[in-house]
Amino acid sequence: NAGVTQTPKFRVLKTGQSMTLLCAQDMNHEYMYWYRQDPGMGLRLIHYSVGEGTTAKGEVPDGYNVSRLKKQNFLLGLESAAPSQTSVYFCASSYGGRGNEQFFGPGTRLTVL
Amino acid sequence: DQQVKQNSPSLSVQEGRISILNCDYTNSMFDYFLWYKKYPAEGPTFLISISSIKDKNEDGRFTVFLNKSAKHLSLHIVPSQPGDSAVYFCAAPNSGGSNYKLTFGKGTLLTVNP
């Protein structure tokens, strides 16, 4: 049981480049989330999904797109990377519902030059 | 508007002593709270939770206290160990139909010195 995995672990982009972060979970969770963590800012929700084929905006969605074509995968895309998107990105999944524990992946450290 | 606040960015304690991490919230609709622990270069992991029907929940060395009237909760670690050194996040599920979403505090970095 791998839990939540993220690919890649590290990435350096130039401004304007695009990339996709992949998140996979093997717990059959309905709900998946993408967060970013910046120094002194805690965890902020970018986008989330409440089931296969659904996506919704979180707190800081601008500059990102997501897709949930398969229940176990949640992709986060940056179409034109900006230095402000330098951050650590975490994917999480949960069964959903009140107070349900979210399980997090190990993170992707992204630097945009 | 920051609905979950952790006003202490860092805390340093000696091994064997008590660590007390604090969290305040502004939304009176919050009725469940979670604490997550995060080591460097790893994702957060769930530590302990508490429902608003309780004022205390204990799990081994970790105890969370909830004071609803003050909109305040605290995480006590007794005794503290060097392996407890990590960032601790307080979180609360949104109320109503979006209760699957969590609002996180900014975190407190705990350092336990040997």
Side-chain angles (χ1 to χ4, degrees):
Chain A
N1 215 355
V4 179
T5 58
Q6 292 183 233
T7 309
K9 287 186 169 46
F10 303 94
R11 186 72 186 267
V12 178
L13 289 178
K14 295 181 179 179
T15 297
Q17 287 185 317
S18 63
M19 77 163 294
T20 300
L21 282 68
L22 172 64
C23 175
Q25 53 95 4
D26 61 2
M27 296 173 282
N28 202 34
H29 286 165
E30 286 292 335
Y31 296 74
M32 296 188 75
Y33 315 81
W34 275 107
Y35 293 90
R36 60 179 288 173
Q37 185 195 11
D38 302 293
M41 297 296 290
L43 291 159
R44 294 185 292 169
L45 184 64
I46 305 171
H47 285 280
Y48 63 96
S49 167
V50 300
E52 181 179 317
T54 75
T55 62
K57 294 180 180 180
E59 183 186 355
V60 287
D62 294 342
Y64 306 94
N65 57 76
V66 287
S67 64
R68 181 106 181 265
L69 299 179
K70 293 183 178 180
K71 185 177 183 178
Q72 64 268 33
N73 295 338
F74 196 28
L75 278 64
L76 177 71
L78 286 73
E79 290 183 347
S80 179
S84 61
Q85 294 177 303
T86 294
S87 187
V88 181
Y89 292 85
F90 290 101
C91 176
S93 69
S94 74
Y95 287 111
R98 176 180 163 280
N100 268 318
E101 175 189 349
Q102 291 184 14
F103 294 81
F104 283 81
T108 295
R109 182 173 293 276
L110 175 67
T111 301
V112 183
L113 302 175
Chain B
D1 178 33
Q2 198 182 345
Q3 297 190 69
V4 177
K5 301 178 183 179
Q6 294 177 259
N7 292 320
S8 298
S10 63
L11 174 68
S12 182
V13 300
Q14 285 299 120
E15 181 177 5
R17 305 294 293 269
I18 184 172
S19 295
I20 300 177
L21 295 94
N22 294 305
C23 179
D24 297 294
Y25 61 97
T26 58
N27 189 338
S28 59
M29 298 296 289
F30 286 159
D31 62 358
Y32 193 85
F33 302 89
L34 305 91
W35 284 93
Y36 282 80
K37 176 179 181 179
K38 183 186 177 306
Y39 291 118
E42 294 185 11
T45 55
F46 170 75
L47 183 59
I48 191 170
S49 62
I50 188 167
S51 166
S52 61
I53 62 173
K54 294 184 175 182
D55 54 17
K56 174 182 173 182
N57 188 28
E58 190 172 355
D59 183 2
R61 296 185 296 113
F62 302 90
T63 303
V64 57
F65 295 92
L66 175 61
N67 182 334
K68 291 186 289 293
S69 61
K71 295 191 180 69
H72 176 83
L73 61 156
S74 60
L75 174 67
H76 293 214
I77 307 174
V78 185
S80 301
Q81 299 174 354
D84 296 328
S85 298
V87 176
Y88 291 79
F89 292 101
C90 173
N94 290 12
S95 56
S98 62
N99 58 10
Y100 48 83
K101 291 194 287 183
L102 294 176
T103 298
F104 285 87
K106 293 184 177 182
T108 297
L109 173 63
L110 172 66
T111 302
V112 180
N113 301 301

